[in-house]
């Protein structure tokens, strides 16, 4: 400890006090506004739930596109939004429900969308391709396989939930 | 740290005279409440400015959620009030601040009037100040419609009918404000919104700039 106490000049003291009070007032004013602005980032939303999509009997070994509608709540605007999936039955009977959203940049893929690639999903935007299992084909733009929908089967009806992304191949 | 950053900039662009010009000036004794408590009447102009800053900030944030459309205006206001964190506070600041700013402006005007501070050579600043007063009233008027609830709708109905009673140009003024000769609706709302958030604030900033430059140029009026 030094012998001499460090003197705070009158001017310094006033400077500190004014800065402190001013800062406190500015913070009190801005805090609610900032919290208000960043609310969308912090809001927890319950998403999901399953929707009835198609009778399981209708499924074949060939991917077919099925559309269904979900209720979307977009803040003060509520609407019906169409979702789609490419659905087929594998040889062992398990059901594959693939999201049509290309993992490259979000365009919509189609089964046999290009005559040059029969038995593949094709994205028209940048020529991205996927196998029947939805796995992206190397040396085409997509970095990951098509997402798989959560699914459940009740009384012969296929219900689909959220599309779950898969790890890149 | 801050000092170092400041020095680094100051060494290169010499900013000290800039802020000294704005911030560093003598407060005469007759204006300082520490000497004469009654000098608090000199605060109303500054308080008006302070509340105006709150209005500008809260208004900027409100437009993140508000939609000027007859289908969605009320719903978006309801949403930001009930669902968004601190929505009530931010809208509350804008709502109450709108009244406070008029009160402060009025008190400031009274002070200048009863002290005769508007007399030569400050007549020009008085005129600028009166213009600011009218701009503020117009801001209050146009902002009143934006929530698009019943009170807003019928208040605007009345306003437009008053405008319609102007001699000779009544119908013209009413249509110009409402966007339609008969309907108070979609076009009225978008017009009032544009006037409220772009045109009037632009005019307000220009006039406030002039007001402050003049007061610094002419100095505050002397003691009574």
């Amino acid at each position: 400890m030094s012998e001499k106490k460090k003197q705070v000049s009158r001017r310094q003291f006033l400077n500190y006090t004014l800065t402190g009070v001013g800062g406190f007032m500015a913070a009190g004013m801005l805090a609610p506004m900032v919290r208000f602005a960043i609310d969308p980032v912090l809001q927890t939303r319950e998403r999901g739930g399953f929707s009835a999509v198609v009778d399981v009997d209708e499924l074949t070994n060939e991917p077919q596109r099925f559309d269904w509608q979900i209720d979307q709540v977009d803040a003060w605007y509520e609407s019906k939004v169409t979702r789609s999936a490419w659905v087929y039955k594998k040889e062992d009977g398990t059901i594959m429900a693939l999201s049509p959203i290309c993992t490259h940049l979000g365009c919509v893929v189609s089964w046999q969308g290009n005559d040059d690639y029969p038995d593949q999903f094709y994205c028209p935007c940048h020529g991205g391709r996927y196998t029947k299992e939805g796995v992206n084909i190397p040396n085409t733009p997509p970095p990951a396989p098509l997402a798989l929908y959560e699914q459940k089967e009740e009384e012969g009806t296929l219900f689909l939930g959220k599309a779950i992304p898969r790890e890149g191949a | 740290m801050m000092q170092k950053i400041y020095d680094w900039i100051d060494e290169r662009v010499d900013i000290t005279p800039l802020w000294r010009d704005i911030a560093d000036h003598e407060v005469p004794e007759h204006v300082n409440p520490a000497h004469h408590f009654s000098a608090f009447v000199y605060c109303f102009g500054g308080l008006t400015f302070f509340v105006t800053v709150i209005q500008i900030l809260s208004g900027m944030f409100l437009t993140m959620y508000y939609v000027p459309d007859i289908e969605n205006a009320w719903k978006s206001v309801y949403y930001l009030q009930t669902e968004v964190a601190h929505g009530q506070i931010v809208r509350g600041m804008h709502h109450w601040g709108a009244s406070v700013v008029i009160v402060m402006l009025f008190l400031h005007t009274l002070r200048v009037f009863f002290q005769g501070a508007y007399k030569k050579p400050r007549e020009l600043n008085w005129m600028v100040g009166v213009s600011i007063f009218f701009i503020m009233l117009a801001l209050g008027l146009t902002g009143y419609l934006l929530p698009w609830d019943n009170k807003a709708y019928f208040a605007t109905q009345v306003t437009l009918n008053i405008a319609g009673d102007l001699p000779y140009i009544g119908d013209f003024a009413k249509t110009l404000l409402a966007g339609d000769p008969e309907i108070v609706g979609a076009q009225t709302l978008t017009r009032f919104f544009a006037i409220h958030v772009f045109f009037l604030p632009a005019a307000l900033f220009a006039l406030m700039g002039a007001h402050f430059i003049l007061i610094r140029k002419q100095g505050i009026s002397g003691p009574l």
Side-chain angles (χ1 to χ4, degrees):
Chain A
M1 292 289 281
S2 65
E3 292 292 304
K4 227 174 37 179
K5 248 186 160 178
K6 227 184 169 186
Q7 288 292 322
V8 176
S9 70
R10 192 185 172 84
R11 171 169 285 260
Q12 257 181 330
F13 174 76
L14 281 172
N15 261 339
Y16 292 154
T17 320
L18 278 175
T19 313
V21 172
F24 185 76
M25 282 173 79
M29 209 167 90
L30 283 170
M33 297 183 194
V34 171
R35 178 62 183 85
F36 177 78
I38 62 170
D39 194 58
V41 184
L42 299 175
Q43 253 182 29
T44 48
R45 299 175 182 78
E46 286 213 15
R47 283 268 162 82
F50 284 80
S51 312
V53 174
V54 66
D55 283 346
V56 177
D57 300 343
E58 283 185 50
L59 300 179
T60 61
N61 290 336
E62 200 57 8
Q64 291 169 280
R65 180 174 164 152
F66 296 105
D67 296 339
W68 70 98
Q69 293 203 311
I70 60 160
D71 294 311
Q72 183 177 271
V73 181
D74 178 12
W76 55 87
Y77 183 69
E78 290 175 30
S79 59
K80 298 244 181 230
V81 184
T82 304
R83 289 281 143 87
S84 323
W86 288 95
V87 191
Y88 68 96
K89 245 186 216 156
K90 285 214 274 206
E91 302 300 325
D92 61 2
T94 55
I95 294 168
M96 291 286 279
L98 294 162
S99 160
I101 308 300
C102 183
T103 55
H104 178 219
L105 290 170
C107 292
V108 180
V109 304
S110 302
W111 175 245
Q112 298 171 337
N114 186 318
D115 291 340
D116 295 338
Y117 308 104
D119 304 327
Q120 283 183 4
F121 288 101
Y122 180 79
C123 180
C125 288
H126 307 94
R129 289 182 281 129
Y130 304 84
T131 64
K132 193 176 175 183
E133 283 71 37
V135 177
N136 52 314
I137 286 164
N139 302 321
T140 70
L146 294 171
L148 267 179
Y149 278 103
E150 292 176 322
Q151 49 165 283
K152 65 182 182 187
E153 214 184 302
E154 269 170 25
E155 292 167 8
T157 306
L158 178 68
F159 287 77
L160 296 183
K162 244 172 82 175
I164 310 288
R166 289 188 281 177
E167 283 298 306
Chain B
M1 176 65 186
M2 293 305 276
Q3 190 63 44
K4 272 196 172 150
I5 295 173
Y6 178 86
D7 290 342
W8 190 88
I9 297 171
D10 198 39
E11 195 188 335
R12 273 143 254 255
V13 279
D14 197 23
I15 53 173
T16 301
L18 285 178
W19 69 256
R20 267 195 199 280
D21 243 22
I22 295 166
D24 212 12
H25 56 108
E26 294 266 317
V27 176
E29 190 188 313
H30 72 284
V31 179
N32 189 343
H35 290 273
H36 310 282
F37 181 68
S38 62
F40 74 85
V41 293
Y42 287 96
C43 291
F44 294 129
L47 285 173
T48 308
F49 178 67
F50 177 64
V51 183
T52 305
V53 170
I54 294 183
Q55 290 305 97
I56 292 162
L57 285 172
S58 55
M60 277 164 59
F61 281 92
L62 284 173
T63 51
M64 284 188 168
Y65 294 94
Y66 176 76
V67 203
D69 167 65
I70 51 172
E71 291 278 344
N72 293 303
W74 188 87
K75 288 187 204 166
S76 65
V77 173
Y78 184 78
Y79 176 81
L80 76 85
Q81 280 261 116
T82 55
E83 303 289 328
V84 181
H86 293 174
Q88 285 193 335
I89 298 176
V90 179
R91 190 159 99 94
M93 287 164 100
H94 206 70
H95 175 99
W96 295 107
S99 296
V100 174
V101 90
I102 303 282
V103 171
M104 290 301 158
L105 208 44
F106 188 62
L107 292 172
H108 177 61
T109 311
L110 286 182
R111 191 225 98 205
V112 172
F113 182 77
F114 283 112
Q115 290 192 334
Y118 55 85
K119 291 176 186 170
K120 194 184 175 194
R122 299 188 176 79
E123 309 98 315
L124 195 59
N125 216 5
W126 169 263
M127 291 181 221
V128 172
V130 171
S131 310
I132 291 177
F133 197 91
F134 284 124
I135 296 280
M136 281 296 185
L137 289 178
L139 276 163
L141 185 100
T142 48
Y144 209 81
L145 176 68
L146 302 184
W148 200 245
D149 53 10
N150 265 306
K151 194 168 65 162
Y153 180 84
F154 286 104
T156 303
Q157 189 83 270
V158 170
T159 305
L160 291 172
N161 281 329
I162 292 172
D165 283 341
L166 280 171
Y168 306 112
I169 57 161
D171 288 340
F172 172 76
K174 190 182 168 194
T175 310
L176 190 67
L177 276 172
D180 188 282
E182 276 136 40
I183 307 166
V184 178
Q187 297 194 84
T188 320
L189 185 53
T190 47
R191 266 166 190 267
F192 272 49
F193 179 74
I195 293 169
H196 184 77
V197 304
F198 293 112
F199 292 85
L200 291 177
L204 182 69
F205 293 159
L207 287 170
M208 282 198 317
H211 206 62
F212 298 155
I213 289 169
L214 281 173
I215 190 72
R216 286 310 297 278
K217 190 106 186 153
Q218 299 180 316
I220 204 155
S221 59
L224 290 174

